[in-house]
Amino acid sequence: MVSSSNGSGSVMSFFATAEHEKDRLQYFASPEGRDDLYQYNLKERRTVLEVLEDFPSVQMPFEWLVQLVPPLKPRAFSISSSPLAHPNQVHLTVNLVSWTTPYKRKREGLCSSWLASLSPEQCIYVPAWFQKGSLPSPPSSLPLILVGPGTGCAPFRGFIEERAIQSVTGSTAPVLFFFGCRNEENDFLYRDFWLSHLQNGGVLSEAKGGGFYVAFSRDQPQKVYVQHKMQEYSERVWNLLINGAAVYIAGSSTKMPSDVLSTLEEIVSRESGAPKDSAVRWLRALEKAGKYHVEAWS
Ligand SMILES: Cc1cc2nc3c(=O)[nH]c(=O)nc-3n(C[C@H](O)[C@H](O)[C@H](O)COP(=O)(O)OP(=O)(O)OC[C@H]3O[C@@H](n4cnc5c(N)ncnc54)[C@H](O)[C@@H]3O)c2cc1C
Ligand SMILES: NC(=O)c1ccc[n+]([C@@H]2O[C@H](COP(=O)([O-])OP(=O)(O)OC[C@H]3O[C@@H](n4cnc5c(N)ncnc54)[C@H](OP(=O)(O)O)[C@@H]3O)[C@@H](O)[C@H]2O)c1
């Protein structure tokens, strides 16, 4: 709360009765205290309650407190189910966000930890609404190259469900899916689901021109990412691209989409024998044609 604005620090200092707390809060509210305020609050992600515990002499009237606390931000989640497979349902794939602060305090994301705390038996009202995302639903005739490490696999679970149902009644275009996670043991999300579509002529099977490739980043000393798998299967990537494939990229790492783009530039250049700048232009044209989509968050 102190960090939400220097003004909050001033208001708190007004209500502090202990002199040392008043001084500290006034320092946080001053231009000289800005860096320390950032360290104390933003870097450590202190909650309102923790700040009030650190400054127990602050006896703020409730009406003031309510005005100082910023309203909760809504959180966006990709829809990870197909309406064809689950009419009247919307599935989400949510990872429990957790990290350790510079002062070694364990922190958890507010919304993801709250969702994780709910029990399926509980009947609870969760305010939610729909917003158009940046990954348009692909027609069944469009070949796809999907890149979705971690929770980035969420929208693609829906795509695969949809295509699997469409493939029962008609022909569908091939799909290559590059998935990545930290460890095979702990966070291989929807393992059985992907593997089931990889077998018996499923939509990810080689028989259908598809493929499913996983990069486990922390199962060996050196990092293996989705880009490495794309390099390994670059011929397949290129063949699908020249057959009109669209590229869809989703995930929580802000750096991942640009790394994947650089890898695609290398693949296009190497496989086509064209210089790098032509490959860059080729991929830009793909984007202009509405066949290169990214949804990334951090
Ligand atoms: C278009 C879109 C689609 C999304 N789809 C999904 C999805 O399908 N599944 C999903 O799980 N999430 C998805 N997200 C992310 C989701 O909206 C939330 O941001 C996420 O769940 C974390 O929310 P939270 O309230 O748990 O964490 P918060 O309480 O908001 O905490 C997250 C914040 O904590 C800090 N933080 C987190 N990790 C660290 C770290 N290692 N070091 C320092 N600070 C850190 C950062 O400031 C970060 O912004 C999507 C986001 C967008 C914009
Ligand atoms: N408690 C847990 O076990 C656990 C597990 C997963 C996630 N989480 C939490 O959930 C949040 C979101 O998780 P998530 O599953 O969406 O993502 P994530 O686990 O943070 O990342 C998914 C995969 O992408 C890799 N990656 C990182 N940078 C990349 C890059 N530039 N290019 C390509 N791949 C890259 C990661 O590898 P590296 O991370 O090894 O570099 C990991 O293998 C995380 O930030 C974390 O807080 C917790």
Side-chain angles (χ1 to χ4, degrees):
M1 185 176 75
V2 172
S3 75
S4 59
S5 75
N6 294 11
S8 309
S10 316
V11 175
M12 281 185 73
S13 74
F14 178 79
F15 289 108
T17 49
E19 215 44 49
H20 67 285
E21 287 181 17
K22 202 181 256 302
D23 288 350
R24 186 82 185 140
L25 287 162
Q26 275 169 357
Y27 168 70
F28 275 150
S30 69
E32 306 81 66
R34 224 170 45 193
D35 287 352
D36 282 340
L37 173 64
Y38 178 74
Q39 285 297 332
Y40 168 76
N41 210 346
L42 276 187
K43 281 291 236 186
E44 290 298 310
R45 295 267 301 183
R46 280 188 165 79
T47 64
V48 172
L49 195 61
E50 286 167 340
V51 173
L52 289 173
E53 279 169 358
D54 281 352
F55 296 92
S57 84
V58 175
Q59 297 297 322
M60 197 184 297
F62 187 66
E63 311 85 79
W64 280 82
L65 182 64
V66 173
Q67 282 187 49
L68 285 186
V69 176
L72 283 181
K73 292 186 283 110
R75 266 61 167 178
F77 294 100
S78 314
I79 294 177
S80 64
S81 54
S82 146
L84 271 184
H86 307 278
N88 307 319
Q89 287 184 13
V90 168
H91 297 190
L92 302 181
T93 303
V94 181
N95 231 333
L96 175 57
V97 172
S98 60
W99 74 99
T100 308
T101 70
Y103 286 105
K104 306 279 174 248
R105 288 145 42 92
K106 294 251 180 272
R107 301 272 81 180
E108 280 187 352
L110 186 69
C111 181
S112 57
S113 64
W114 177 70
L115 285 171
S117 74
L118 301 178
S119 135
E121 285 80 44
Q122 255 175 312
C123 184
I124 190 155
Y125 172 72
V126 180
W129 58 95
F130 295 93
Q131 196 176 313
K132 201 169 178 351
S134 44
L135 303 178
S137 176
S140 60
S141 56
L142 182 64
L144 296 174
I145 296 169
L146 310 176
V147 185
T151 45
C153 72
F156 307 141
R157 176 179 177 259
F159 284 15
I160 299 295
E161 280 188 337
E162 183 110 342
R163 204 155 272 207
I165 291 180
Q166 290 162 337
S167 73
V168 175
T169 49
S171 73
T172 54
V175 185
L176 295 182
F177 178 28
F178 293 89
F179 176 65
C181 61
R182 298 173 182 189
N183 320 102
E184 181 168 14
E185 272 304 298
N186 303 322
D187 54 1
F188 190 171
L189 302 172
Y190 303 118
R191 177 206 320 241
D192 295 345
F193 172 80
W194 310 121
L195 297 183
S196 71
H197 291 289
L198 185 59
Q199 292 155 2
N200 306 324
V203 289
L204 290 172
S205 67
E206 285 213 23
K208 283 260 167 71
F212 175 64
Y213 309 106
V214 195
F216 300 111
S217 59
R218 303 188 190 181
D219 276 350
Q220 59 287 306
Q222 77 291 0
K223 294 272 184 185
V224 176
Y225 285 158
V226 279
Q227 302 86 284
H228 300 112
K229 291 286 159 189
M230 293 170 75
Q231 291 279 17
E232 204 177 322
Y233 295 93
S234 64
E235 201 184 325
R236 298 210 63 198
V237 171
W238 174 239
N239 281 338
L240 211 55
L241 279 174
I242 53 173
N243 277 300
V247 178
Y248 282 71
I249 301 166
S252 79
S253 157
T254 38
K255 204 167 164 288
M256 180 272 295
S258 59
D259 290 348
V260 168
L261 176 61
S262 306
T263 302
L264 279 168
E265 287 166 1
E266 281 166 31
I267 290 174
V268 170
S269 167
R270 189 176 56 244
E271 296 292 333
S272 68
K276 191 71 178 291
D277 55 338
S278 304
V280 171
R281 281 199 299 276
W282 195 89
L283 284 161
R284 273 206 204 114
L286 194 72
E287 189 180 356
K288 277 209 174 121
K291 287 180 148 190
Y292 195 99
H293 307 280
V294 180
E295 187 156 276
W297 57 91
S298 62

